[in-house]
Amino acid sequence: GTPQNFYEAVGGEETFRRIVGRFYAEVAKDEVLRPLYPEEDLGPAEERLRLFLIQYWGGPHTYSDQRGHPRLRMRHVPFSIGPIERDAWLRCMRIAVDEERLAEPERQQLWAYLEMAANSLINTWV
Ligand code: HEM
């Protein structure tokens, strides 16, 4: 039927599964980001980000059922995130989003959010 929200308009779970899967394939190769991830297996981190984005854009609330309130700034405090880490994160995410070939204006809307969110998680300036 007619899409009811952004999540449905961009294709639902499969779209987020591809974007976040592609993102973590880049993280695995990234010499700035990879050392930040505490676990050897990136699979659980991939699932958390996928479920968060699905919930944020209007899909099922599985993220909060499992993890509670997102409180993203607090959850990133253990990781030293400065401009270099933000840029690395956005570089990996840019590849993932561009490969998805979303229609406009959804592509721009998603990207604007991700840039804003990444900037808001900077917690280190040295
Ligand atoms: C978790 C790094 C930006 C959403 C994490 C983790 C790291 C990390 C190392 C722990 C992995 C895990 O065990 O889940 C970074 C860096 C960023 C960044 C370096 C650069 C700015 C973002 C942005 C978002 C986001 C922009 C959302 C749009 C999440 C979520 C989790 C997470 C949902 C899992 C939280 C939980 O439930 O524990 N991030 N992140 N991150 N990140 Fe980020």
Side-chain angles (χ1 to χ4, degrees):
T2 310
Q4 298 301 306
N5 57 33
F6 186 94
Y7 171 75
E8 291 182 11
V10 298
E13 178 179 357
E14 286 312 309
T15 298
F16 289 91
R17 187 174 290 278
R18 280 191 301 270
I19 291 174
V20 177
R22 188 69 183 86
F23 170 75
Y24 271 101
E26 288 302 312
V27 169
K29 300 186 288 187
D30 191 284
E31 60 188 27
V32 172
L33 294 178
R34 187 62 187 88
L36 290 180
Y37 286 81
E39 293 170 76
E40 194 185 326
D41 180 5
L42 289 174
E46 177 178 336
E47 183 176 28
R48 287 189 277 271
L49 180 58
R50 180 177 72 247
L51 292 176
F52 170 79
L53 290 173
I54 284 172
Q55 172 172 306
Y56 178 86
W57 290 106
H61 286 210
T62 315
Y63 176 84
S64 282
D65 292 347
Q66 294 182 359
R67 305 289 290 166
H69 190 285
R71 290 177 297 176
L72 284 190
R73 228 183 120 74
M74 186 209 68
R75 291 194 204 260
H76 286 78
V77 164
F79 315 111
S80 189
I81 303 178
I84 290 171
E85 289 76 17
R86 175 210 50 200
D87 289 350
W89 195 97
L90 287 171
R91 180 161 37 72
C92 293
M93 191 53 93
R94 183 63 182 243
I95 291 168
V97 170
D98 281 356
E99 284 191 6
E100 193 57 29
R101 305 220 167 277
L102 298 175
E104 300 291 356
E106 285 82 3
R107 187 202 58 81
Q108 174 53 31
Q109 195 180 343
L110 177 58
W111 188 250
Y113 165 73
L114 293 167
E115 273 194 315
M116 178 281 294
N119 279 316
S120 80
L121 294 175
I122 290 181
N123 56 24
T124 307
W125 287 269
V126 286

